[in-house]
Amino acid sequence: MKNILKFIFFVTVLTTTGFGSIASEQSQKLLNPGWSFKGFFGKFDRSSLQRGYQVYTEVCAACHSMKYLSYRNLAQQGGPEFSEDQAKIIASQFEVIDGPNSEGDMFTRPARLSDNFVGPYANDEAAKSANGGAYPPDMSVLVKARKGGASYIYSILLGYDDPPPDVSLEDGVYYNTYMSENKIKMPKPLSENLVQYSDGTQATEEQMAKDVSTFLAWAAEPNLEQRHKMGFRAVLYLIIITILVYFSMKKIWSRIETDV
Amino acid sequence: MSDHDYTPKSKFGKWFNDRLPLLTLRSHLTDYPTPKNLNYWWTFGGILTFCLIAQIITGIVLSMHYIAHADLAFASVEHIMRNVNYGWLIRYFHANGSSMFFLAVYIHIFRSMYYGSHKSPREVIWIIGMIIYFIMIMTAFMGYVLPWGQMSFWAATVITNLFSAVPLIGESITNWLWGGFAIGSPTLTRFYALHYLFPFLILGLVILHIWALHVPGNNNPIGIDVKQPSKDTVPFHPYIVIKDLFALLVFLLLFVFIVFYSPNLFGHPDNYIEANPLVTPTHIVPEWYLLPFYAILRSIPDKLLGVVAMLASIFVLVILPWLDTSKVRSAIFRPLYKQFFWFLIADVIILGYMGALPPEGTYLLVARVATGYYFVHFLIILPVLGYKEKTLDVPLSITEPVLEGSTNQSLGERANQ
Amino acid sequence: MSDQKKTKRRDFIFTASYTLGVVGVGAAVWPLIDQMNPDASVKAHSSTEVNISEVQPGQSITVLWRSKPVFIKRRTEEEIAKARQVDLKELKDPEKDEDRAKNPEWLVIVGICTHLGCVPLGNKGEYGGWFCPCHGSHYDTSGRIRKGPAPTNLEVPKYEFVDSNTIKIG
């Protein structure tokens, strides 16, 4: 029994200190405003998700696609939870290429709930060429694709600064405290009151950065809340049945007179 | 198999058992005499069987939705995560299941090494085990390629490029493996086919592994043979079944915790970036369970010799029963070997850490020293220890206490037979 | 502790473990089964909108709905009358034409023979409707089975007129 506990402790220490952390190159500690979705009982803040969607659509979607999301996701449980009608209206504001029709031509039509998010460019090459050779990454799983996750995105958005005197940057390259090598090709996207939040919240840079990072975190993990809920039940169940089986084991082994 | 007289109770049972003795087999397995002093380190065989079956089931289910084509693979995995009912759960279970599988296999292997389960007469069990381990590595490697992320693509590129180190025919072999002139869709589809196949090879080998085990029976913590089955052993069912079940539940607790609360703990963020043949990630790393091999590979400056060293590090394990010359099985009675065993563990962990770091400067030096020490352990220390080590007296039997504290060396040695 | 009490305690712990175990196995197995059910993206495509402005009287178009063929037929006065005059007693699967086509000019039916699933051919057969070449089922101008091995009428899916030019199926 003691050995088992030692083992669990050993493994927990190993895994939580993590092999990842030693390979860390992060020179700067990331900004962390606190995320409602972290932790065992973490949930997404609905209004933050809706504001974050607004920031994404009005600011980021000009260059960044989100191809693995569908408009119907905006209405599903665990997300921004727009009503189905609101989501339909949102979808219908975008044009989708469909076809061929019976004449063999492609045509455009307003998007439906079942369509994936319409991206700003026809393909990756168009995206790169419109952005000085740098491809604005698709944001569907961006939060999972960067070490530091939502905090990393948040930090980048707020991390623009004047370069120190000894650093010179080429055209189209900007200084950012949290990028590796401090260089980024995206110009600073956020500024005070850039967006007029429909719920009246003050659109400070920090607010927009937090909301859009929350939205992106949801986009990458739309099932997070269900996962946490199921996880709680699964862990609780396992603890109970482990205890029951432990006592069953003791009962069975008590049939042998001596323990060696 | 021990002579087993089992008569089925029902008529149908008799009729069937006469034609295919499954009921006799079941009776053998339930009655199988197991040493009663096994500790929890012996529960990992059962845990591994669970892991194998869980991976096969979740894998087959995932394969109903996954598409093995370079243009569609990444999207199909996202489809599983977002659209397939419970797809996210099955995918996270399968991906983390791989890590849990290797965690269990390492504990299982090191348990064998500590208690001498690799020694006579269990050499074939050990070798089959090593073959299983090798196929596990290949299966896991190919499985990691399937999501077609940046790490999938580039780790595959690096490892398959190793084959070009073979003199003369190296490049042909590599192109043959790739099905092209670089990693691409043909590579992906064949990796998928083989990734589906190999676990069933493992399943067959596991059956052989258990069969070979049942000939001499299990080893035990004090490493001496069973003298009197009625006193030294318990029937597998229910005693060992319930103990294995308890251990499995504790293991599952950890597994489930990771799946639900930290499912990307063992993964690399770069694998959520779609594979791009034109952009190499800054640091290419395999999954954690392959890191020690990666460190050994990179510590040798020559490409071919690096591959040879990497393969040799597994080969020395295969021939371990002949390298470890000690007549005493269990490390409990081998105080020096015990120390060196823990040094080996530390060495392997250090190698693992170095595998995750860039092979430069101090890191490279440490990796080289650790690699050297690894081979020194197996090729020099173990054979020498066998002859030179003064072992402690071994008890006469599992249940019998040591004869009145006798330190008669010959008595102890006799007990080892 | 008396032996009897011991037995009782022992049985309880085993029963409790078994029961909880079965519950756990069931909970673990369910996702493995449910994953084969239609996934979210398939369910999202459960309705299709069709533009019917170009369909002439007497003409029929075939569209895909939930990966199945659907016949949309603009019926002539004759065809409507023929459908409405049929005595229900003659039908294997009695159904009034009024119940099958609320707007009598438009017949919307799933083009899958209710026998074994082939796609029937239009303007064929002895009843002025459809004929299935696989095993010889005849359907009338309301898509009802009149002769042959098919057990039921061609299915009428849920549909509505979004406007005078568009039908939404599903």
Side-chain angles (χ1 to χ4, degrees), chain B residues 246-265:
Chain B
F246 172 67
L248 176 63
L249 288 172
V250 175
F251 182 82
L252 273 178
L253 204 53
L254 176 67
F255 190 171
V256 151
F257 192 85
I258 292 172
V259 164
F260 285 100
Y261 290 113
S262 197
N264 292 299
L265 178 68

Side-chain angles (χ1 to χ4, degrees), chain A residues 72 114 237 240-241 244-245 247-248 251-252 255, chain C residues 10 13-14 16-17 20-21 24 40-41 44-45:
Chain A
R72 60 180 162 85
S114 56
Y237 167 84
I240 294 173
I241 196 169
L244 280 180
V245 168
F247 285 114
S248 302
K251 282 272 174 265
I252 290 176
R255 297 176 195 168
Chain C
R10 194 156 63 209
I13 199 98
F14 293 160
S17 301
L20 214 58
S41 59
H45 280 112

Side-chain angles (χ1 to χ4, degrees), chain A residues 79-146:
Chain A
E81 289 180 11
F82 289 106
S83 72
E84 200 174 296
D85 286 328
Q86 283 173 311
K88 266 193 215 168
I89 294 170
I90 290 173
S92 63
Q93 288 162 356
F94 298 93
E95 288 273 301
V96 159
I97 300 175
D98 201 354
N101 57 22
S102 46
E103 274 93 59
D105 299 320
M106 304 302 279
F107 57 92
T108 54
R109 58 158 176 82
R112 300 193 275 254
L113 288 179
S114 56
D115 289 313
N116 282 15
F117 274 32
V118 176
Y121 302 107
N123 49 58
D124 287 358
E125 273 68 41
K128 257 195 273 188
S129 103
N131 288 282
Y135 169 66
D138 179 275
M139 288 181 147
S140 310
V141 285
L142 191 62
V143 161
K144 287 199 285 192
R146 297 290 184 273

Side-chain angles (χ1 to χ4, degrees), chain A residues 184-227:
Chain A
I184 189 169
K185 277 189 145 172
M186 169 174 76
K188 182 165 171 198
L190 297 178
S191 54
E192 185 97 4
N193 290 321
L194 181 63
V195 158
Q196 182 125 31
Y197 277 135
S198 39
D199 70 354
T201 311
Q202 179 76 7
T204 60
E205 276 182 47
E206 285 82 3
Q207 184 67 49
M208 289 188 283
K210 183 167 184 198
D211 291 333
V212 81
S213 302
T214 304
F215 175 74
L216 290 181
W218 167 79
E221 290 257 54
N223 298 301
L224 180 138
E225 292 189 0
Q226 188 191 14
R227 174 160 59 83

Side-chain angles (χ1 to χ4, degrees), chain C residues 57-117:
Chain C
Q59 195 193 354
S60 172
I61 58 168
T62 308
V63 296
L64 268 185
W65 169 70
R66 292 188 184 173
S67 310
K68 296 186 276 203
V70 171
F71 304 143
I72 301 180
K73 177 146 186 165
R74 189 171 179 181
R75 299 191 293 184
T76 59
E77 294 290 341
E78 257 184 71
E79 286 166 332
I80 299 171
K82 208 164 163 205
R84 304 227 155 165
Q85 277 156 16
V86 172
D87 187 350
L88 289 183
K89 286 201 279 289
E90 282 177 36
L91 296 172
K92 191 194 275 193
D93 179 12
E95 244 191 311
K96 284 205 227 153
D97 181 70
E98 290 86 337
D99 292 333
R100 290 174 60 79
K102 297 246 169 3
N103 176 347
E105 203 188 350
W106 293 95
L107 182 69
V108 179
I109 48 177
V110 178
I112 295 180
C113 183
T114 58
H115 180 228
L116 290 174

Side-chain angles (χ1 to χ4, degrees), chain B residues 273-287:
Chain B
I273 303 173
E274 296 187 48
N276 185 344
L278 299 175
V279 175
T280 314
T282 351
H283 296 293
I284 301 174
V285 268
E287 286 282 85

Side-chain angles (χ1 to χ4, degrees), chain B residues 90-314:
Chain B
I90 300 170
R91 191 272 178 112
Y92 276 148
F93 211 89
H94 193 77
N96 287 294
S98 169
S99 283
M100 297 306 289
F101 203 168
F102 277 93
L103 177 66
V105 95
Y106 285 138
I107 293 173
H108 185 72
I109 292 174
F110 282 114
R111 181 269 299 169
S112 303
M113 285 170 57
Y114 189 85
Y115 292 107
S117 309
H118 54 282
K119 292 166 157 308
S120 170
R122 297 182 179 86
E123 303 94 322
V124 172
I125 306 170
W126 172 262
I127 292 175
I128 295 176
M130 279 297 130
I131 299 175
I132 292 172
Y133 176 54
F134 189 63
I135 299 182
M136 269 176 72
I137 290 176
M138 290 197 286
T139 310
F141 167 72
M142 291 189 293
Y144 194 64
V145 176
L146 302 183
W148 212 240
Q150 274 288 68
M151 251 349 142
S152 306
F153 184 92
W154 289 99
T157 303
V158 164
I159 298 303
T160 47
N161 259 319
L162 292 178
F163 285 89
S164 61
V166 174
L168 294 177
I169 51 171
E171 200 181 314
S172 310
I173 294 181
T174 315
N175 289 349
W176 174 77
L177 268 178
W178 284 337
F181 304 105
I183 298 268
S185 216
T187 329
L188 180 57
T189 35
R190 65 190 55 182
F191 276 9
Y192 184 47
L194 293 177
H195 180 74
Y196 202 120
L197 168 69
F198 280 9
F200 295 98
L201 299 182
I202 293 176
L203 191 58
L205 285 169
V206 164
I207 292 173
L208 293 181
H209 189 68
I210 297 175
W211 185 0
L213 170 69
H214 281 213
V215 173
N218 293 65
N219 189 15
N220 66 85
I222 55 175
I224 61 169
D225 293 333
V226 163
K227 298 291 188 310
Q228 281 180 282
S230 55
K231 284 211 165 131
D232 296 338
T233 67
V234 287
F236 193 82
H237 179 70
Y239 295 93
I240 308 299
V241 168
I242 194 76
K243 190 166 179 178
D244 275 357
L245 178 63
F246 172 67
L248 176 63
L249 288 172
V250 175
F251 182 82
L252 273 178
L253 204 53
L254 176 67
F255 190 171
V256 151
F257 192 85
I258 292 172
V259 164
F260 285 100
Y261 290 113
S262 197
N264 292 299
L265 178 68
F266 294 119
H268 199 289
D270 276 3
N271 226 28
Y272 279 105
I273 303 173
E274 296 187 48
N276 185 344
L278 299 175
V279 175
T280 314
T282 351
H283 296 293
I284 301 174
V285 268
E287 286 282 85
W288 68 269
Y289 40 80
L290 300 179
L291 288 174
F293 297 113
Y294 199 51
I296 293 176
L297 172 75
R298 296 185 311 177
S299 61
I300 316 281
D302 181 86
K303 186 169 169 184
L304 178 60
L305 289 179
V307 176
V308 169
M310 191 174 70
L311 293 174
S313 67
I314 301 188

